[in-house]
Amino acid sequence: MRTGVWLVGARGSVATTSVVGALALRAGLTAPTGCVTELPELRGPALPGFTDLVFGGHDVVTTPLTKRAEALAAAGVLPGRLADAVVPDLAEVEASLRPAPTDGGPGDRIAAVVRDLTDFRRRHELDRVVVVNVAATEPAPAPHPAHHDLAALRDALAGPVDVLPASSRYAYAAFTAGCPYVDFTPSTGARLPALVALADERGLPYAGHDGKTGETLLKSVLAPMFAMRHLAVRSWSGTNLLGGGDGATLAEPAANAAKVVSKQRVLAETLGYLPQGGTRIDYVEELGDFKTAWDLVTFAGFLGTGMRMEFTWHGCDSALAAPLVLDLARLTAAAHAAGRRGALAELAFFFKDPLGDTGHALGAQWAVLCDFVAGLHAGVTR
Amino acid sequence: MRTGVWLVGARGSVATTSVVGALALRAGLTAPTGCVTELPELRGPALPGFTDLVFGGHDVVTTPLTKRAEALAAAGVLPGRLADAVVPDLAEVEASLRPAPTDGGPGDRIAAVVRDLTDFRRRHELDRVVVVNVAATEPAPAPHPAHHDLAALRDALAGPVDVLPASSRYAYAAFTAGCPYVDFTPSTGARLPALVALADERGLPYAGHDGKTGETLLKSVLAPMFAMRHLAVRSWSGTNLLGGGDGATLAEPAANAAKVVSKQRVLAETLGYLPQGGTRIDYVEELGDFKTAWDLVTFAGFLGTGMRMEFTWHGCDSALAAPLVLDLARLTAAAHAAGRRGALAELAFFFKDPLGDTGHALGAQWAVLCDFVAGLHAGVTR
Amino acid sequence: MRTGVWLVGARGSVATTSVVGALALRAGLTAPTGCVTELPELRGPALPGFTDLVFGGHDVVTTPLTKRAEALAAAGVLPGRLADAVVPDLAEVEASLRPAPTDGGPGDRIAAVVRDLTDFRRRHELDRVVVVNVAATEPAPAPHPAHHDLAALRDALAGPVDVLPASSRYAYAAFTAGCPYVDFTPSTGARLPALVALADERGLPYAGHDGKTGETLLKSVLAPMFAMRHLAVRSWSGTNLLGGGDGATLAEPAANAAKVVSKQRVLAETLGYLPQGGTRIDYVEELGDFKTAWDLVTFAGFLGTGMRMEFTWHGCDSALAAPLVLDLARLTAAAHAAGRRGALAELAFFFKDPLGDTGHALGAQWAVLCDFVAGLHAGVTR
Amino acid sequence: MRTGVWLVGARGSVATTSVVGALALRAGLTAPTGCVTELPELRGPALPGFTDLVFGGHDVVTTPLTKRAEALAAAGVLPGRLADAVVPDLAEVEASLRPAPTDGGPGDRIAAVVRDLTDFRRRHELDRVVVVNVAATEPAPAPHPAHHDLAALRDALAGPVDVLPASSRYAYAAFTAGCPYVDFTPSTGARLPALVALADERGLPYAGHDGKTGETLLKSVLAPMFAMRHLAVRSWSGTNLLGGGDGATLAEPAANAAKVVSKQRVLAETLGYLPQGGTRIDYVEELGDFKTAWDLVTFAGFLGTGMRMEFTWHGCDSALAAPLVLDLARLTAAAHAAGRRGALAELAFFFKDPLGDTGHALGAQWAVLCDFVAGLHAGVTR
């Protein structure tokens, strides 16, 4: 099952780490640490192997992948020896990267993306291509009536005005080209009614939103713990200090707001009430690809006695996100192969702001994921 | 369903908080925060109500309960107004407390406990009495052949030498008097083959071991998180600073060792390997009934990238343990009423070192508990 | 040496704690923990005793002091028994509190304050009255030419428009009434050239700005440590979570900005460069009078090796500020008695944003303070 | 002023980092971050330049320095490009390293060290050689009467029995060869009355004990802060998690005990009382050359209100210690050149357990150090 993985933002830290990692796994140079689909509970015949994955993508920048890999090695995100070992394979991936289309109206740019996706699939003789958005987070777009109606959207895209943000243009192009789409960021992507209608029309699955890599991952196990113990969470305040490209983007108030909302959902929905406190994202360039999150939780126990916990999470965002990108590409490809269409709510495990109503408790999300994947494997071996 | 709750260590902080809390709940003076059995998922007709609970117990000290409650209020463990409001009800409980028997040989002391339990049940016209051990942690006892054989144990107990630690004498007495028994501490209690045989002989259920109130509770959600994400935990080091009576006891190397072993099981069994690092318990008198735990976890992600998390838990042990004591008394009573016998493995949710093979992941333990309780309720309403 | 202490914001948490504490000290009910002027290095004959202090003040609210003290006791800021024990003495202080004047133009309101101060001094036969501003932090005022010239300011105050913020009107009134003035908050207070000129004209001392009680106190010892060790601080990020009245005020962006600037000065001036990162202040009502600050410092050592430290400070702002209010009242009174005029730069030890050029290193500030106080004592005993 | 630096434990992490760093500084490849003697307050003509330093030393292991440097680069302690750049210079240092003498009685081994030191001085035409002990921490030796009397010690050393631990044999040899001696570890070294007598007899200076690199450095600024603010420290508990060779050594209970005592002195002597709590050292191999210290301080403020602070220090021991080794070698050489003899109490700034009565407050130690160095510079330029 030859599977294309088309990365929007293909020269960013997450994409580069995903590609280097997949190449290293293919070459047997590293263990699949962090790859959920390599756990005994999920491994199986329905998923394309690492050797079946072929990478391509778009980006607005042109830095060569080998330069990006070197920089990540220097920053401690990748082992230098791995980056060196996969240089020849990286060159091959480099040949499948395309500049993000910038000419003409929105319709022209979407058509260019559709062409790039179709060429990629044909040239590499791929069974399917999964498009994954790992580009920098966008601000929320201005609302527009065409977002709610596919016909109106088609009309609008024929005109000169851009009614869609970039992430949604890629979703539109993916569906048009017959490709499943994964929203790994909090950007709008496929989450507009008109795009949902398009995916339905084409019979394609999609997944999202916003990969769960750090503070929210912890919230998705700690909030259920407080709930299961009937402890009353009084306040939950979080601070996220980020360097790297994502940090700079998220420091923009509009993007920050989008991310923060998606980070708080887990608390309100798991606890059944929203505790006091909020979540901050601050940019600290010197932290590089590492991110430090600090959370303070105050809570009441029996007879109202006040208690507290704090945690600090010092994680490397790319090293946490990259294996999930591979997992999602494999799982979405298998779902497509199995004829699944529409929202893949069973992948809630991977997301801060999941589609569907699986809820935010990691344990429950895990159980749903395991069932889903068992079904995929059973379909293959049947 | 009038249910007696017999507390071994009835004048300690946990017992006093349990009793004051139950009285306050009965009087409608407080909410059942921290009581798991009051969550919508577990509430129902099979469980005795707070008004159905009648308290008694043994202790080696004689400080009046009202004095203990005052001291706990001064230390911030209980609200002062609650302690004041339940003074008349506390006097009633006081009348049901008995000094821990100290005269004669082990057989005589066990017989005295049996008499106290039987009198308590009869005088209060109780349907049953659940014995819960919340006394200070004991060192592990010297092994003895009589621990493995009920007949040999009966012979030994007729002699002058104490082959059982106190917690196990109470378990022996409880079973002899037809009472279910709950091990809320890491002490030996019912976990000797001879005592298991005695419980079987009498058709009684029992539960344990070691209430999960702080650091281990966090481990039981964080370790599965690392496992589900396929992250490789390299080291997990914990420091526990405790004041209060339990702190002083656990500072004794032998008791400390017992507790530490039960704290590490969760890691090895959840992760499938034992990371480097250990757990320390240190006594710091000035922390009083509050406990501070600090844990450092170092782990590897994709391509071996090193990351870390730390947490600090500042909890009030009595406020965390007391509602669980009430939960366990209610659940064990309901299980007994339903004819359950033997180890209550379904109560693993509550324990650091659970009976049976439910595992240590809190989410899985919760699912098992919910099923178990649903079965109890169904039995009642059928 | 009978000394009046006139508190602007006299019914606030800091003021109430200061008054209750001074009364408790006078009655021998507590130890002077937190009072710097009671350390062996500073104690001596030049300072008025706690029995020599007489309290009065203004406030815009009218809640009785005994109610405020009860509330603080309930919140764990004061021991309940102390609040009860000083009730009769509090009633006496209550009689010396005056509503903040609100009628007429700015000149009328200043005149009313001058009358209140003069009456207070006469009625209690005080040698002097020190005015201390502990009211809620104001936003920075709009600049006005009259701020820079005393004659222009006098003209402006005769008109109907308020060119001064409240804190500066109090400073104006204090100097007019012949009283030294202490800025315990980051509000403008006496720090306008026209007010400095007024203090000079009257030959009065003044002190400020912004009592150093938590995060900045730590910065004033940690930043010098990094500097003395020639370690390169790369980033210093701080988060402050505050409940209580001050938290709500500081959550206002304008007031927040004022405070944050005063908090960053210490780093730039101690290190000689400003590291990356910033300071946040967030309001979390449930934290009450307690404040949690978390700071992350990343730094480079020998050969550029990256390292990090974090700290969490969980302090009670009122309990930290109140003894310093008493210290500053005593020290400023002694300076006035000794004929000191102008800025009391020697009191830099107490402030986030100190007058003069003593610098921000706590050890150096301490040495200057000790010398200063030794001089005052020597003047008295000479 | 050609100055030899003779490192006992010359192939350890600290020694290797010191040598690589000095070579890199000499070659202008790095900035002197972490070198206190390169601060404007201390720089000057009395100190030998980095180009004046010549390295030699003893070790019991024989791993080549270039191998050690590579391993440190792989562990993130040194930048790889620096380790590569100084390879030729390292080879030169390698030629001056000698195996630790193991043949014969204690007298023979001391004589061998004296010969090595003398040869080194002569061959490199050095003005002087400073011996610095950076070998692994020893357990405290059994007391022996010869420790108290130089004549008795000389007699004992002529016999077959080892009455001195290794660190003290090196001190004996250093003094015998006319070399100043620096105790950078908590081992016994020169701190025996008989060795003090020997240093006096030879008119040599010495310094120590136990370089202050992490948790104790923080204590030496935080404890004075609490003292200056008259806050009552109720408990101070510390946990140190160490990998690396030092961690394994210190996990030995006897060595651990020595280190812990030296870590607690700062609290008792700065605060004037010893708070509750203790210091733990635990070995966690996976942490490598990095060390994580976590401290919890509980304290009371005004009216007894309880508060707390915690800090986590994540430092690279070698990167913190190595520049201090260079500082101490330069300062001790300058002191020797200036004719100083006996204990160099003015170097307390560098040590956990300093000689003399400078005290433990870092600010005061800094002032003393600045005065001392200013005197050395004045002597040179006079």
Side-chain angles (χ1 to χ4, degrees), chain B residues 276 280 282 286 298 310 312, chain D residues 276 280 282 286 298 310:
Chain B
Q276 293 182 16
R280 290 276 193 186
D282 281 319
E286 111 90 11
T298 62
E310 309 172 27
T312 305
Chain D
Q276 293 180 17
R280 289 276 194 187
D282 282 319
E286 111 90 8
T298 62
E310 308 172 28

Side-chain angles (χ1 to χ4, degrees), chain B residues 259-281:
Chain B
K259 192 93 178 186
V260 162
V261 167
S262 110
K263 273 169 166 295
Q264 291 297 90
R265 267 190 65 189
V266 57
L267 293 185
E269 297 186 12
T270 306
L271 297 171
Y273 54 89
L274 187 61
Q276 293 182 16
T279 302
R280 290 276 193 186
I281 302 178

Side-chain angles (χ1 to χ4, degrees), chain D residues 168-360:
Chain D
S168 300
R169 284 201 308 273
Y170 279 102
Y172 190 102
F175 295 146
T176 304
C179 301
Y181 181 84
V182 178
D183 268 342
F184 199 79
T185 78
S187 300
T188 310
R191 56 178 133 178
L192 294 174
L195 291 173
V196 167
L198 178 58
D200 285 346
E201 187 182 295
R202 301 294 165 111
L204 288 165
Y206 53 90
H209 309 289
D210 203 3
K212 181 160 65 182
T213 53
E215 190 196 28
T216 308
L217 178 61
L218 285 163
K219 281 181 175 166
S220 75
V221 297
L222 292 173
M225 180 196 81
F226 286 108
M228 287 187 274
R229 277 298 175 95
H230 204 176
L231 298 165
V233 177
R234 287 176 172 166
S235 72
W236 194 311
S237 304
T239 294
N240 291 268
L241 306 177
L242 296 88
D246 206 34
T249 309
L250 291 172
E252 296 300 317
N256 193 322
K259 192 91 175 187
V260 162
V261 166
S262 112
K263 273 170 166 292
Q264 291 296 90
R265 265 190 66 190
V266 56
L267 292 185
E269 297 186 11
T270 307
L271 296 172
Y273 54 90
L274 188 60
Q276 293 180 17
T279 302
R280 289 276 194 187
I281 302 178
D282 282 319
Y283 178 59
V284 182
E285 185 195 359
E286 111 90 8
L287 297 179
D289 277 280
F290 283 78
K291 182 173 99 172
T292 294
W294 172 77
D295 277 36
L296 171 68
V297 186
T298 62
F299 60 98
F302 200 45
L303 311 180
T305 305
M307 298 179 266
R308 45 199 274 136
M309 84 165 283
E310 308 172 28
F311 66 80
T312 305
W313 173 265
H314 180 59
C316 176
D317 245 30
S318 300
L320 290 162
L324 305 184
V325 167
L326 300 181
D327 287 330
L328 285 164
R330 298 172 84 189
L331 290 163
T332 305
H336 186 228
R340 276 292 307 262
R341 44 204 302 169
L344 295 174
E346 296 91 340
L347 303 184
F349 178 82
F350 294 94
F351 295 111
K352 285 197 195 69
D353 191 15
L355 292 162
D357 55 4
T358 303
H360 291 272

